[in-house]
Amino acid sequence: MFRILLIMMIACTVQSAKFPTDLEKCKYDDEKCYINVANTIMKRGSKGYAELGLPVFEPLFVNKIGIDQGGDGPVVLKLHMKDVNIHGFSGVKFKAIKGLGKNIDKAKIDLKYTQPIFQMIGKYTTEGKVLVLPVQGDGNCNITLVNNDCHVKLLTKKIEKNGKSYMQIDKIKFNFDTTDAKIVFENLFNGNKELSDTFNLFINDNWRDILKEIKPAMSESIAAVYKQIINNIFGNIPYDELFTE
Ligand SMILES: *[C@@H]1O[C@H](CO)[C@@H](O)[C@H](O)[C@H]1NC(C)=O
Protein backbone atom coordinates (compact mmCIF):
# COMPACT_ATOMS: atom_id res chain seq x y z
CA MET A 1 0.00 0.00 0.00
CA PHE A 2 1.21 3.50 -0.59
CA ARG A 3 0.08 6.97 0.04
CA ILE A 4 0.95 10.12 -1.83
CA LEU A 5 1.60 13.06 0.40
CA LEU A 6 1.50 16.70 -0.49
CA ILE A 7 2.06 17.66 -4.05
CA MET A 8 2.04 21.29 -4.95
CA MET A 9 3.59 23.40 -7.56
CA ILE A 10 4.07 27.07 -8.16
CA ALA A 11 0.89 28.15 -9.83
CA CYS A 12 1.07 30.01 -13.06
CA THR A 13 -1.51 32.75 -12.86
CA VAL A 14 -3.05 33.84 -16.08
CA GLN A 15 -4.40 37.33 -16.64
CA SER A 16 -6.20 36.92 -19.92
CA ALA A 17 -5.77 33.49 -21.41
CA LYS A 18 -6.00 33.21 -25.12
CA PHE A 19 -4.74 30.86 -27.75
CA PRO A 20 -1.11 31.77 -28.59
CA THR A 21 -0.82 33.30 -32.04
CA ASP A 22 2.33 31.33 -32.86
CA LEU A 23 0.56 27.98 -32.53
CA GLU A 24 -1.47 26.29 -35.20
CA LYS A 25 -5.13 25.63 -34.37
CA CYS A 26 -6.15 22.08 -35.23
CA LYS A 27 -9.37 20.67 -36.58
CA TYR A 28 -11.16 18.32 -34.23
CA ASP A 29 -9.74 14.78 -34.33
CA ASP A 30 -6.74 15.78 -36.45
CA GLU A 31 -4.20 13.69 -34.58
CA LYS A 32 -1.30 14.62 -36.82
CA CYS A 33 -1.89 18.30 -36.14
CA TYR A 34 -2.27 17.67 -32.37
CA ILE A 35 1.05 15.86 -32.27
CA ASN A 36 2.73 18.70 -34.14
CA VAL A 37 1.36 21.39 -31.83
CA ALA A 38 2.07 19.38 -28.68
CA ASN A 39 5.68 18.80 -29.75
CA THR A 40 6.09 22.50 -30.55
CA ILE A 41 4.80 23.43 -27.10
CA MET A 42 7.17 20.96 -25.40
CA LYS A 43 10.21 22.35 -27.19
CA ARG A 44 9.48 25.75 -25.66
CA GLY A 45 9.92 24.40 -22.14
CA SER A 46 12.32 26.99 -20.82
CA LYS A 47 9.89 29.78 -21.65
CA GLY A 48 6.59 28.07 -20.98
CA TYR A 49 3.41 29.47 -22.48
CA ALA A 50 2.07 31.95 -19.95
CA GLU A 51 -0.84 32.80 -22.25
CA LEU A 52 -1.85 29.14 -22.12
CA GLY A 53 -1.45 28.89 -18.36
CA LEU A 54 1.57 26.67 -18.86
CA PRO A 55 4.46 27.50 -16.51
CA VAL A 56 8.13 27.26 -17.37
CA PHE A 57 8.65 23.52 -17.41
CA GLU A 58 12.35 23.21 -18.28
CA PRO A 59 12.90 22.64 -15.49
CA LEU A 60 9.49 22.16 -13.93
CA PHE A 61 9.55 23.28 -10.32
CA VAL A 62 7.51 21.21 -7.88
CA ASN A 63 7.73 22.30 -4.29
CA LYS A 64 6.79 19.00 -2.67
CA ILE A 65 6.49 15.40 -3.75
CA GLY A 66 6.18 12.60 -1.25
CA ILE A 67 5.87 8.87 -1.32
CA ASP A 68 4.86 6.97 1.76
CA GLN A 69 5.11 3.31 0.95
CA GLY A 70 3.94 1.14 3.85
CA GLY A 71 3.09 -2.55 4.12
CA ASP A 72 5.38 -5.54 4.29
CA GLY A 73 6.77 -5.57 0.76
CA PRO A 74 10.47 -5.44 -0.14
CA VAL A 75 10.41 -1.65 -0.14
CA VAL A 76 9.00 0.16 2.89
CA LEU A 77 9.87 3.75 2.45
CA LYS A 78 9.05 7.31 3.30
CA LEU A 79 10.60 9.53 0.69
CA HIS A 80 9.80 13.21 0.85
CA MET A 81 11.28 15.57 -1.68
CA LYS A 82 11.09 19.34 -1.72
CA ASP A 83 12.21 22.13 -4.02
CA VAL A 84 12.39 19.65 -6.85
CA ASN A 85 13.39 20.70 -10.33
CA ILE A 86 12.29 18.16 -12.90
CA HIS A 87 14.42 18.35 -16.04
CA GLY A 88 13.78 16.80 -19.44
CA PHE A 89 10.27 17.79 -20.51
CA SER A 90 11.59 19.80 -23.45
CA GLY A 91 12.75 16.49 -24.92
CA VAL A 92 9.24 15.04 -24.95
CA LYS A 93 8.08 13.73 -28.33
CA PHE A 94 4.44 12.81 -28.66
CA LYS A 95 3.65 9.66 -30.64
CA ALA A 96 -0.12 9.41 -30.18
CA ILE A 97 -2.92 11.72 -29.02
CA LYS A 98 -6.21 9.88 -29.32
CA GLY A 99 -9.76 10.70 -28.25
CA LEU A 100 -9.46 14.49 -28.28
CA GLY A 101 -12.58 15.47 -30.23
CA LYS A 102 -15.75 17.54 -29.96
CA ASN A 103 -17.13 15.63 -27.03
CA ILE A 104 -15.49 16.61 -23.74
CA ASP A 105 -17.91 15.05 -21.34
CA LYS A 106 -16.43 11.74 -20.12
CA ALA A 107 -14.13 11.55 -23.12
CA LYS A 108 -11.30 9.04 -22.89
CA ILE A 109 -8.02 10.51 -24.08
CA ASP A 110 -4.87 8.54 -24.67
CA LEU A 111 -1.45 10.17 -24.89
CA LYS A 112 1.78 8.41 -25.72
CA TYR A 113 5.17 10.06 -25.72
CA THR A 114 8.85 9.40 -25.29
CA GLN A 115 11.09 11.36 -22.95
CA PRO A 116 14.85 10.65 -23.24
CA ILE A 117 15.65 12.10 -19.79
CA PHE A 118 13.47 12.48 -16.72
CA GLN A 119 15.60 13.96 -13.98
CA MET A 120 14.48 15.03 -10.50
CA ILE A 121 16.93 17.17 -8.59
CA GLY A 122 16.08 18.47 -5.16
CA LYS A 123 16.20 17.96 -1.42
CA TYR A 124 15.02 14.74 0.17
CA THR A 125 14.45 13.14 3.52
CA THR A 126 14.00 9.40 3.70
CA GLU A 127 13.51 6.64 6.16
CA GLY A 128 12.69 2.98 5.62
CA LYS A 129 13.91 -0.28 4.25
CA VAL A 130 14.88 -1.11 0.68
CA LEU A 131 15.26 -4.82 -0.13
CA VAL A 132 16.45 -5.73 3.40
CA LEU A 133 18.73 -2.69 3.78
CA PRO A 134 17.57 -0.06 6.25
CA VAL A 135 17.97 3.49 5.01
CA GLN A 136 17.81 6.93 6.54
CA GLY A 137 19.06 10.31 5.43
CA ASP A 138 18.46 13.83 4.24
CA GLY A 139 20.26 15.99 1.71
CA ASN A 140 20.40 16.49 -2.04
CA CYS A 141 19.21 13.88 -4.45
CA ASN A 142 19.34 13.28 -8.14
CA ILE A 143 17.06 10.69 -9.70
CA THR A 144 17.62 10.31 -13.43
CA LEU A 145 15.51 7.98 -15.55
CA VAL A 146 16.71 7.37 -19.10
CA ASN A 147 14.69 6.53 -22.25
CA ASN A 148 11.19 6.77 -20.92
CA ASP A 149 8.20 5.47 -22.81
CA CYS A 150 5.18 7.15 -21.29
CA HIS A 151 1.45 6.62 -21.46
CA VAL A 152 -1.19 8.96 -20.03
CA LYS A 153 -4.87 8.06 -19.91
CA LEU A 154 -7.39 10.77 -19.16
CA LEU A 155 -11.08 10.79 -18.43
CA THR A 156 -12.53 14.25 -18.96
CA LYS A 157 -15.45 16.18 -17.58
CA LYS A 158 -17.12 19.26 -18.95
CA ILE A 159 -17.59 22.36 -16.85
CA GLU A 160 -19.50 25.53 -17.74
CA LYS A 161 -18.46 29.06 -16.84
CA ASN A 162 -20.35 32.11 -18.09
CA GLY A 163 -22.07 30.09 -20.79
CA LYS A 164 -18.81 28.62 -22.13
CA SER A 165 -17.61 25.02 -21.95
CA TYR A 166 -14.25 24.07 -20.57
CA MET A 167 -12.57 20.69 -20.44
CA GLN A 168 -11.21 19.41 -17.15
CA ILE A 169 -9.65 16.13 -16.14
CA ASP A 170 -11.72 13.94 -13.92
CA LYS A 171 -9.32 10.99 -13.72
CA ILE A 172 -5.76 10.49 -14.85
CA LYS A 173 -3.48 7.47 -15.06
CA PHE A 174 0.19 7.67 -15.85
CA ASN A 175 2.54 4.81 -16.60
CA PHE A 176 6.05 4.57 -17.95
CA ASP A 177 8.83 2.21 -18.88
CA THR A 178 12.43 3.17 -18.58
CA THR A 179 15.64 1.52 -19.79
CA ASP A 180 18.13 2.91 -17.26
CA ALA A 181 18.29 4.80 -13.98
CA LYS A 182 20.99 6.70 -12.13
CA ILE A 183 20.20 7.60 -8.54
CA VAL A 184 22.25 9.59 -6.07
CA PHE A 185 21.19 10.31 -2.50
CA GLU A 186 23.75 12.50 -0.76
CA ASN A 187 24.26 12.51 3.00
CA LEU A 188 22.63 9.20 3.85
CA PHE A 189 23.15 7.78 7.35
CA ASN A 190 24.12 11.13 8.88
CA GLY A 191 26.86 11.59 6.32
CA ASN A 192 28.59 8.25 6.87
CA LYS A 193 30.37 8.03 3.53
CA GLU A 194 31.01 4.31 3.52
CA LEU A 195 27.39 3.37 4.25
CA SER A 196 26.17 6.06 1.91
CA ASP A 197 28.32 4.86 -1.01
CA THR A 198 27.33 1.26 -0.37
CA PHE A 199 23.66 2.12 -0.38
CA ASN A 200 23.88 4.25 -3.54
CA LEU A 201 25.75 1.45 -5.31
CA PHE A 202 23.18 -1.03 -4.13
CA ILE A 203 20.16 0.94 -5.36
CA ASN A 204 21.81 1.61 -8.71
CA ASP A 205 22.54 -2.10 -9.17
CA ASN A 206 19.00 -2.99 -8.17
CA TRP A 207 17.10 -0.07 -9.65
CA ARG A 208 14.75 -2.28 -11.67
CA ASP A 209 13.44 -4.12 -8.61
CA ILE A 210 13.19 -0.93 -6.58
CA LEU A 211 11.49 1.02 -9.35
CA LYS A 212 8.98 -1.78 -9.79
CA GLU A 213 8.01 -1.38 -6.13
CA ILE A 214 7.73 2.38 -6.03
CA LYS A 215 6.42 2.88 -9.56
CA PRO A 216 2.73 3.01 -8.64
CA ALA A 217 3.39 5.73 -6.07
CA MET A 218 5.75 7.58 -8.37
CA SER A 219 3.35 7.37 -11.30
CA GLU A 220 0.56 8.70 -9.15
CA SER A 221 2.66 11.68 -8.01
CA ILE A 222 3.57 12.51 -11.59
CA ALA A 223 -0.05 12.09 -12.69
CA ALA A 224 -1.14 14.57 -10.01
CA VAL A 225 1.34 17.15 -11.31
CA TYR A 226 0.16 16.60 -14.90
CA LYS A 227 -3.47 16.90 -13.86
CA GLN A 228 -2.80 20.28 -12.32
CA ILE A 229 -0.98 21.53 -15.43
CA ILE A 230 -3.53 20.23 -17.92
CA ASN A 231 -6.48 21.54 -15.90
CA ASN A 232 -4.80 24.92 -15.68
CA ILE A 233 -4.44 25.09 -19.47
CA PHE A 234 -7.91 23.84 -20.33
CA GLY A 235 -9.55 25.76 -17.48
CA ASN A 236 -8.38 29.06 -18.91
CA ILE A 237 -9.55 28.86 -22.51
CA PRO A 238 -13.04 27.80 -23.63
CA TYR A 239 -12.69 24.43 -25.33
CA ASP A 240 -14.04 25.42 -28.74
CA GLU A 241 -11.55 28.32 -28.94
CA LEU A 242 -8.72 25.79 -29.02
CA PHE A 243 -9.89 24.35 -32.33
CA THR A 244 -10.82 25.41 -35.80
CA GLU A 245 -13.73 23.85 -37.73
C1 LIG B 1 22.30 14.05 -12.10
O1 LIG B 1 22.65 12.77 -12.57
C2 LIG B 1 22.89 12.69 -13.97
C3 LIG B 1 23.11 11.22 -14.34
O2 LIG B 1 24.15 10.66 -13.61
C4 LIG B 1 24.06 13.61 -14.34
O3 LIG B 1 24.26 13.55 -15.73
C5 LIG B 1 23.73 15.02 -13.90
O4 LIG B 1 24.85 15.86 -14.15
C6 LIG B 1 23.39 15.07 -12.42
N1 LIG B 1 22.97 16.42 -12.09
C7 LIG B 1 23.25 17.00 -10.90
C8 LIG B 1 22.80 18.42 -10.72
O5 LIG B 1 23.82 16.42 -10.02
Side-chain angles (χ1 to χ4, degrees):
M1 283 305 294
F2 63 86
R3 219 154 40 89
I4 304 299
L5 299 161
L6 302 159
I7 302 147
M8 282 175 280
M9 50 179 291
I10 299 281
C12 177
T13 46
V14 181
Q15 302 305 335
S16 57
K18 55 182 172 9
F19 195 81
T21 49
D22 61 340
L23 285 180
E24 184 186 355
K25 271 194 187 183
C26 298
K27 291 186 173 149
Y28 289 100
D29 298 305
D30 183 350
E31 187 185 13
K32 216 176 141 196
C33 179
Y34 294 163
I35 288 175
N36 239 323
V37 170
N39 286 337
T40 304
I41 292 174
M42 298 315 289
K43 269 193 230 145
R44 275 255 316 224
S46 59
K47 296 200 184 89
Y49 262 103
E51 60 273 56
L52 268 184
L54 186 62
V56 167
F57 57 93
E58 188 62 271
L60 178 74
F61 180 80
V62 178
N63 56 13
K64 274 183 189 166
I65 300 183
I67 298 171
D68 192 344
Q69 173 120 351
D72 51 10
V75 178
V76 180
L77 194 67
K78 277 191 187 141
L79 175 62
H80 293 192
M81 295 175 71
K82 67 172 189 178
D83 299 338
V84 185
N85 277 306
I86 307 180
H87 298 262
F89 287 114
S90 60
V92 162
K93 290 263 181 317
F94 280 89
K95 296 190 295 184
I97 301 179
K98 300 209 182 292
L100 191 63
K102 271 196 175 163
N103 169 42
I104 51 173
D105 197 26
K106 299 193 177 70
K108 286 182 182 160
I109 299 174
D110 235 37
L111 311 172
K112 288 190 177 146
Y113 65 86
T114 55
Q115 183 169 348
I117 298 285
F118 180 95
Q119 185 173 85
M120 299 167 89
I121 293 181
K123 303 246 176 262
Y124 79 95
T125 60
T126 193
E127 201 187 329
K129 186 190 72 160
V130 177
L131 315 176
V132 314
L133 283 192
V135 59
Q136 170 268 318
D138 66 283
N140 297 320
C141 69
N142 176 349
I143 300 174
T144 303
L145 305 179
V146 182
N147 285 333
N148 305 288
D149 233 324
C150 306
H151 189 179
V152 186
K153 285 184 176 183
L154 308 171
L155 181 67
T156 70
K157 63 182 177 196
K158 184 165 86 170
I159 59 161
E160 309 269 352
K161 280 188 282 186
N162 304 322
K164 305 225 175 202
S165 300
Y166 294 81
M167 189 187 91
Q168 290 286 274
I169 295 174
D170 190 21
K171 294 197 173 116
I172 180 164
K173 276 216 164 95
F174 173 76
N175 206 346
F176 67 100
D177 285 312
T178 192
T179 64
D180 201 6
K182 300 246 183 302
I183 303 163
V184 180
F185 288 105
E186 289 176 4
N187 199 48
L188 287 167
F189 311 106
N190 300 316
N192 181 319
K193 183 159 163 30
E194 213 164 303
L195 285 178
S196 201
D197 288 352
T198 306
F199 186 83
N200 275 302
L201 247 165
F202 178 80
I203 52 177
N204 281 280
D205 284 347
N206 294 281
W207 71 267
R208 274 177 206 282
D209 294 330
I210 296 165
L211 190 61
K212 199 172 82 194
E213 294 297 320
I214 66 165
K215 209 181 204 178
M218 209 175 147
S219 296
E220 202 167 303
S221 320
I222 295 167
V225 173
Y226 284 2
K227 183 177 180 181
Q228 207 170 357
I229 292 174
I230 298 170
N231 279 346
N232 204 26
I233 295 173
F234 284 93
N236 277 312
I237 302 182
Y239 190 71
D240 62 4
E241 289 175 22
L242 295 165
F243 297 87
T244 176
E245 287 290 335

